[in-house]
Amino acid sequence: MAESALETAWAALAQHRARLATQRTADFFEDPQRFERCSVSAAGLLLDYSRQPVDAAALAALGELADAAGLADAIAAMFRGEAINTTEGRAALHVALRQPRGAQIGGAAIEAEVLAERTRMLAFAESIRRGGRFDTVINIGIGGSDLGPAMAAQALRHFRGGASAGAHRLPAVHFVANVDGCALSDLLETADPARTLFIVCSKTFTTQETLANARTARAWIAGRLSEAAVPTHFAAVSVNAAAMDAFGIHPDQRFRMWDWVGGRYSMWSSIGVSLAIAIGAANFEALLAGAHAMDRHFREAPFGENLPVRMALLGVWNIDLVGLPTLAVLPYDSRLARFPAFLQQLDMESNGKRVTRDGGPVAHGTAPVVWGEPGNEAQHSFFQMLHQGKPRAAIDLLVGMQSSCGREDHQTLAIANALAQAEAFLHGRRGEGVTPHQVHEGDRPVSLLLFDRLDPATLGALVALYEHKVYAQSVIWGINAFDQFGVDLGKQIATTVLPLLQAETIEATVSPSLRGLLGAVRARRGGVP
Ligand code: F6P
């Protein structure tokens, strides 16, 4: 679409914002239909955006921005498997990973490959889950090879299927990521090597953190059992077959992924194998089905009823027009404790960019700073700032209608807290008799996402919703959501710093900024192993 159409759309939005700048959101509720008009449902989720500072005219102008940015074509291009990851010249086909037979997302060949690998992976997962040989499974991976499966395993803990499978105890599934090795060390203190399976998840199989933990785990198995035991105690997921060979991963215990899957979009692939072991194949497939239901909605629903598009446009409004650069994601379900961390990678690694697809500067704000914690606990920590502090945030409240642990009396309290906070964020506390210290301005923009129960299908839909929100926003900002050059520089420098840290002397060529630090570290550590 012509540049001028976009400029016109942005200019119109600026006028709407100026018109609404002093408007209190609570006053929009003079329309008794506000809730019905400003809520949209899909795939088991209800989005209530009636507490966002927009009216019908501003929403229409946001729709025009989406049209001017070519969002409809961009969505179609993603599902067709076009190379929408322009800098790396490849597709971003995570939607192909959750497709059912016959959907042909990405084409017939990709569908066949995905379904074949899914069947292999789930059969392996069930054999580990029910086979009784292993009581401990340790997933080794970082970033997208950790956050999604770890978040989902915690969220779906109540779907792990009881303590036993027939005569056997189900294995406990753990996730380790950090290069400091402490999480792994803690697990190895009590794990029985004969009954422990490690799953190394790394798209590239070159990530320093993952390889460091995998080598330590390998040495532990080889030392406590034997070198010959390594192939049966390791499985792996990667595109890098040569590196899996070199590590000694048996061909039957390795699983494919494809370069058209971004790490942060990969939990639907064999990267989810540890999750599949934790919750079982049927629940894993229900997770995929939930995500696919959201995919269909994103692809087919008109923008006015399209949940991810609605969320994307409201995000653009809050970031670029209202000037709120942060998004607090606050689940009222403690099983979603890692969901904000998962979203941090999804949103900020995707859209934390400052140049357009063509390499020019982006004219508008891009990814929000995403942060959050389980809402009820956060009420007693940082909600003070949300209500009365100077930095203001847009807020997503995620609320389950049923308990994730069978304690409905407790969930009633959780829901009451979420609704009470939504009211406080909207109305605040002002007026006669309210001292300055007690004033709550209100007018904090809140979206509520309601779901029946945190089950696999609902979680799949929830994750897919945010994935599509991120993609829709990237299209509006004109950026590529699927590369991550911003993490490469630190990785590169790490490889040059490590030998400096281990060297006997500090060479004269080392930068003055690093020289002082290296000296301080060496003085405090003595020798560096
Ligand atoms: O953190 C950067 C990153 O490249 C992420 O995009 C990715 O999810 C993570 O590293 C892990 O990469 P890999 O799966 O290749 O080990």
Side-chain angles (χ1 to χ4, degrees):
M1 184 64 69
E3 192 62 30
S4 60
L6 263 180
E7 282 167 10
T8 305
W10 280 112
L13 281 170
Q15 284 180 5
H16 284 289
R17 176 56 192 158
R19 177 176 60 79
L20 294 173
T22 55
Q23 164 84 46
R24 285 197 63 89
T25 304
D27 293 341
F28 288 134
F29 285 87
E30 283 163 14
D31 169 8
Q33 299 297 308
R34 170 88 180 169
F35 178 85
E36 285 73 21
R37 284 191 222 284
C38 296
S39 51
V40 47
S41 298
L45 304 173
L46 169 79
L47 170 70
D48 163 24
Y49 59 93
S50 59
R51 293 155 192 274
Q52 293 286 349
V54 280
D55 63 1
L59 284 168
L62 284 165
E64 280 159 28
L65 178 70
D67 291 341
L71 182 57
D73 287 346
I75 294 171
M78 180 169 80
F79 282 90
R80 276 198 302 269
E82 286 179 21
I84 55 174
N85 178 352
T86 44
T87 50
E88 296 174 316
R90 58 195 185 209
L93 263 176
H94 41 287
V95 290
L97 295 170
R98 51 240 190 174
Q99 65 183 311
R101 190 169 300 284
Q104 299 215 348
I105 296 171
I110 283 187
E111 181 198 309
E113 279 184 39
V114 164
L115 294 188
E117 199 62 4
R118 187 191 299 164
T119 302
R120 254 192 89 226
M121 181 277 276
L122 290 178
F124 174 78
E126 280 295 325
S127 75
I128 300 301
R129 182 176 158 81
R130 307 209 163 264
R133 165 145 197 209
F134 299 106
D135 63 11
T136 302
V137 172
I138 301 179
N139 188 93
I140 299 176
I142 197 164
S145 298
D146 167 73
L147 283 164
M151 173 278 292
Q154 184 179 3
L156 300 176
R157 192 175 183 278
H158 45 301
F159 285 86
R160 77 198 150 152
S164 65
H168 309 298
R169 282 184 71 76
L170 291 170
V173 179
H174 307 277
F175 293 82
V176 305
N178 200 296
V179 76
D180 70 10
C182 293
L184 180 61
S185 236
D186 291 349
L187 290 170
L188 299 190
E189 266 176 26
T190 51
D192 172 0
R195 297 186 37 80
T196 300
L197 175 72
F198 295 95
I199 303 182
V200 185
C201 285
S202 177
K203 180 178 171 183
T204 57
F205 225 86
T206 59
T207 304
Q208 185 194 56
E209 292 88 340
T210 299
L211 293 185
N213 280 318
R215 286 186 192 119
T216 297
R218 193 186 194 289
W220 184 73
I221 289 291
R224 300 284 294 271
L225 299 175
S226 68
E227 183 64 30
V230 167
T232 46
H233 287 265
F234 279 84
V237 185
S238 182
V239 295
N240 188 346
M244 288 192 281
D245 282 342
F247 193 88
I249 304 290
H250 192 280
D252 292 346
Q253 309 222 127
R254 61 173 71 169
F255 299 93
R256 288 182 72 186
M257 57 188 297
W258 297 270
D259 67 0
W260 44 256
V261 190
R264 53 193 173 275
Y265 297 90
S266 67
M267 62 181 273
W268 323 100
S269 72
S270 293
I271 288 288
V273 61
S274 298
L275 171 64
I277 294 170
I279 63 173
N283 284 322
F284 192 87
E285 293 197 279
L287 178 88
L288 300 183
H292 180 67
M294 184 57 74
D295 294 342
R296 288 189 56 180
H297 169 80
F298 181 51
R299 193 179 188 181
E300 293 165 9
F303 285 175
E305 299 155 29
N306 193 309
L307 215 160
V309 172
R310 213 16 129 219
M311 268 179 71
L313 291 173
L314 291 166
V316 167
W317 175 261
N318 282 329
I319 293 163
D320 292 314
L321 283 308
V322 184
L324 303 179
T326 90
L327 173 66
V329 179
L330 307 165
Y332 276 76
D333 185 325
S334 56
R335 293 260 158 95
L336 283 171
R338 292 294 283 162
F339 193 66
F342 167 78
L343 283 188
Q344 285 175 330
Q345 187 196 19
L346 174 64
D347 209 329
M348 295 197 277
E349 196 169 80
S350 295
N351 285 347
K353 313 276 169 69
R354 55 200 295 279
V355 293
T356 61
R357 285 187 294 266
D358 304 332
V362 183
H364 303 278
T366 54
V369 178
V370 178
W371 56 294
E373 283 288 327
N376 178 244
E377 289 156 80
Q379 286 172 215
H380 301 272
S381 63
F382 57 72
F383 269 45
Q384 164 62 39
M385 191 193 80
L386 287 176
H387 284 293
Q388 288 190 305
K390 285 201 166 186
R392 291 160 57 115
I395 297 162
D396 286 356
L397 302 180
L398 278 49
V399 193
M401 296 299 98
Q402 289 172 39
S403 167
S404 288
C405 56
R407 297 198 179 273
E408 295 306 337
D409 49 344
H410 283 258
Q411 190 59 16
T412 305
L413 295 174
I415 294 169
N417 271 279
L419 301 192
Q421 290 297 328
E423 284 294 275
F425 285 132
L426 177 69
H427 297 287
R429 177 159 62 168
R430 301 168 309 142
E432 222 170 301
V434 180
T435 69
H437 297 93
Q438 292 169 333
V439 168
H440 295 52
E441 290 170 340
D443 263 336
R444 269 53 179 164
V446 170
S447 287
L448 284 108
L449 269 170
L450 307 187
F451 51 89
D452 284 345
R453 185 174 180 224
L454 189 58
D455 61 18
T458 302
L459 184 68
L462 187 64
V463 174
L465 164 63
Y466 278 94
E467 286 179 349
H468 295 323
K469 179 210 85 156
V470 165
Y471 178 54
Q473 289 182 333
S474 77
V475 172
I476 287 162
W477 292 319
I479 59 181
N480 177 8
F482 301 109
D483 60 14
Q484 58 283 320
F485 294 106
V487 296
D488 288 346
L489 178 63
K491 278 187 186 175
Q492 275 167 25
I493 297 178
T495 60
T496 61
V497 168
L498 181 61
L500 294 175
L501 210 49
Q502 292 167 324
E504 291 291 314
T505 52
I506 303 174
E507 290 172 29
T509 50
V510 170
S511 76
S513 55
L514 189 54
R515 173 174 290 276
L517 264 179
L518 284 172
V521 171
R522 290 151 85 103
R524 281 157 183 77
R525 290 203 81 198
V528 176

